[in-house]
Amino acid sequence: MQGSSRQKLDQRTFRAQVLECRDKGYLLSSKKIGSGAFSKVYLAYATQERIQHNPRLASDLRGKRHTMVAIKIISTAKVPVEFSRKFLPREISSLHATYKHLNVVQLYETYQGSQRCYLVLELADGGDLLQHINAMSARRCCPGLEEKEARRLFRQLVSAVAHCHNSGVVHRDLKCENILLDERGFLKLTDFGFASQLGLKNSLLSTFCGSMAYTAPEILMSKKYSGEQADLWSLGVILYAMVTGKLPFKEHQPHRMILLMRRGPAFPPGLSPECQDLIQALLQLCPRARLGLQQVATHRWMLPAAHMLFRISTAPAESVVASREDSAPPRPLQQLRPLQHQETPKNGSGQVPAPLKACPRQAAGSARPGIRSIAVTNLPPGATFALSHVHHQERAGALPGQLRAGEWIERRPDKPFIP
């Protein structure tokens, strides 16, 4: 009896959503393509009348063969007050700030219903990067993507993150599940629910959020952190996942995760030294020792198309990201070091992890042999409100034998954030 009542309530809710979408010029389908703690995402169709009255929608759909969009529906009646007042506006603001870029999901418009908020988004129906890695691993009978395919996607991801940082937005939840693919094979960065816009120069963040498997060590150690440098760590984890089919560090407890991070990632046989070097240069325990986005773009594993990375935006006059450091001198690329078998603890695969490079950074004359010494400085540290009373809860989930999603660090509604 209780199940029947619940089903009837869901049907009434969906009918109300259909009517509210139709009033705005969208035909909501029953196909659910995503869901979150307080939201659901449905496939929908834009009417011709709506397309004519929405310049963003008309511009984006002009090059496509369909009128489909994704509509994210947030139940404002059920979400915590802190979420509706702070985090939802931040997500919308971040999507507006990062419009328009080929590799960032586009926000066409938002509107408010009686008990719901609607975000009309660009459709990317090719699945997420996690699904793509698992599908290609099964097809190849070998874990991970081929380096050529990983390079193609990683270039687009770096371009998207560079555009966000250049627009004053740090994502803070970069992971394979938040990276979508469209029908043309383009990568689309999505889910800006934990995003923060940069504030005062050199100010730091303190929110403990994201997914543990992708979270930078300084966040796990409860230190204040630069959002941009934390995003760089996540990029290293994603690249490792792309080329190996697994996550570099997997633990349920933060202190044990930090021990694995100190040992560094272990690489399978056959992975190119250049790719290993780029991953190690991103997975630096010291935030300032990580390669900046400009250095990532000019890394020899990324060549020869690195010069196009920061011009992939469809917005006019997109400039190259000029990176800066607060007080430190420019730093060249770090030395390429072959894997060495030392007397250090082994991971489950039996391989000896490569140690993390020490902080602070190397001197200016210690560039990698065989790689051009490119002296560029890091991006400015991110900033946002310092938040407290953060509670995290761990949850793992994936099929055995596949790349597993990270433990998710979640906010509890009964523990509000206090700026």
Side-chain angles (χ1 to χ4, degrees):
M1 188 70 179
Q2 187 176 1
S4 176
S5 300
R6 178 66 181 175
Q7 186 176 10
K8 290 179 180 179
L9 178 61
D10 290 343
Q11 290 174 351
R12 286 198 300 269
T13 300
F14 182 73
R15 283 197 295 268
Q17 294 171 353
V18 169
L19 292 175
E20 289 177 340
C21 288
R22 189 176 65 184
D23 291 342
K24 296 295 182 178
Y26 297 98
L27 305 178
L28 191 70
S29 78
S30 59
K31 183 179 180 180
K32 187 168 66 174
I33 56 179
S35 62
F38 308 115
S39 64
K40 295 180 181 179
V41 185
Y42 290 92
L43 173 68
Y45 297 84
T47 62
Q48 288 300 323
E49 181 181 4
R50 192 62 204 157
I51 294 174
Q52 292 173 4
H53 288 84
N54 188 319
R56 285 189 175 187
L57 193 59
S59 173
D60 196 60
L61 293 181
R62 190 176 296 121
K64 300 179 181 179
R65 300 179 180 179
H66 59 75
T67 61
M68 293 183 289
V69 295
I71 296 186
K72 183 176 183 178
I73 306 174
I74 300 101
S75 176
T76 52
K78 297 180 180 179
V79 299
V81 175
E82 194 73 11
F83 177 87
S84 60
R85 289 183 180 178
K86 182 177 293 185
F87 296 105
L88 179 57
R90 281 185 187 176
E91 179 176 8
I92 295 173
S93 176
S94 298
L95 286 167
H96 281 303
T98 55
Y99 181 89
K100 177 180 187 188
H101 191 278
L102 185 63
N103 300 121
V104 178
V105 163
Q106 304 296 289
L107 174 66
Y108 299 132
E109 66 174 310
T110 64
Y111 54 90
Q112 191 78 29
S114 58
Q115 296 181 314
R116 289 164 286 272
C117 179
Y118 297 83
L119 277 61
V120 183
L121 301 163
E122 178 184 11
L123 178 68
D125 58 353
D128 61 40
L129 182 59
L130 181 68
Q131 295 169 335
H132 181 64
I133 294 172
N134 287 330
M136 294 302 295
S137 298
R139 186 179 305 175
R140 297 175 59 221
C141 298
C142 178
L145 305 176
E146 292 182 355
E147 286 192 38
K148 181 179 180 181
E149 169 70 357
R151 183 183 297 110
R152 179 185 73 84
L153 294 173
F154 195 66
R155 285 171 181 163
Q156 297 181 46
L157 178 58
V158 171
S159 179
V161 175
H163 175 72
C164 292
H165 288 186
N166 203 35
S167 302
V169 174
V170 288
H171 192 279
R172 298 200 299 176
D173 195 20
L174 293 174
K175 57 183 178 181
C176 294
E177 298 93 315
N178 287 342
I179 300 166
L180 305 178
L181 301 174
D182 68 6
E183 71 281 358
R184 299 172 294 174
F186 286 115
L187 177 147
K188 303 286 183 179
L189 180 60
T190 188
D191 199 344
F192 286 76
F194 286 164
S196 178
Q197 293 188 327
L198 301 180
L200 298 175
K201 183 181 178 182
N202 297 335
S203 58
L204 301 175
L205 307 175
S206 58
T207 309
F208 188 39
C209 63
S211 180
M212 186 181 292
Y214 297 84
T215 299
E218 60 268 25
I219 300 178
L220 296 180
M221 289 186 283
S222 300
K223 296 180 179 179
K224 290 188 176 182
Y225 61 93
S226 160
E228 292 165 307
Q229 291 168 351
D231 279 352
L232 290 170
W233 175 278
S234 301
L235 285 177
V237 175
I238 292 170
L239 179 56
Y240 184 96
M242 283 184 179
V243 295
T244 67
K246 61 182 181 179
L247 295 167
F249 314 111
K250 187 69 175 178
E251 263 298 342
H252 297 289
Q253 299 297 327
H255 69 280
R256 296 176 67 179
M257 178 72 85
I258 292 169
L259 290 177
L260 294 179
M261 292 173 171
R262 291 183 185 277
R263 299 172 188 172
F267 299 101
L271 190 63
S272 70
E274 296 84 1
C275 186
Q276 295 181 35
D277 181 63
L278 178 54
I279 293 171
Q280 286 180 321
L282 287 168
L283 298 182
Q284 291 290 305
L285 201 65
C286 178
R288 293 185 182 181
R290 294 168 201 156
L291 290 188
L293 287 173
Q294 185 71 60
Q295 292 173 302
V296 173
T298 52
H299 190 275
R300 66 175 181 175
W301 186 78
M302 299 284 281
L303 299 176
H307 65 284
M308 292 298 294
L309 267 175
F310 296 89
R311 298 185 183 181
I312 198 168
S313 170
T314 53
E318 193 68 35
S319 59
V320 175
V321 175
S323 42
R324 301 186 298 274
E325 173 75 43
D326 44 0
S327 60
R331 158 189 180 277
L333 297 177
Q334 298 177 358
Q335 184 176 356
L336 176 62
R337 181 179 61 211
L339 293 178
Q340 297 177 352
H341 292 279
Q342 307 176 33
E343 300 215 0
T344 53
K346 297 184 178 182
N347 64 359
S349 64
Q351 292 180 300
V352 179
L356 283 166
K357 302 179 181 68
C359 178
R361 67 194 64 179
Q362 298 175 348
S366 59
R368 297 179 178 93
I371 306 180
R372 297 182 297 168
S373 177
I374 304 172
V376 295
T377 51
N378 291 335
L379 297 170
T384 188
F385 295 103
L387 306 179
S388 60
H389 296 285
V390 181
H391 178 87
H392 74 274
Q393 156 183 337
E394 299 162 3
R395 180 176 75 230
L399 297 177
Q402 291 185 324
L403 173 64
R404 301 174 65 87
E407 284 72 42
W408 296 19
I409 302 167
E410 300 181 315
R411 302 183 172 95
R412 274 179 49 180
D414 59 332
K415 294 288 185 181
F417 293 105
I418 301 175

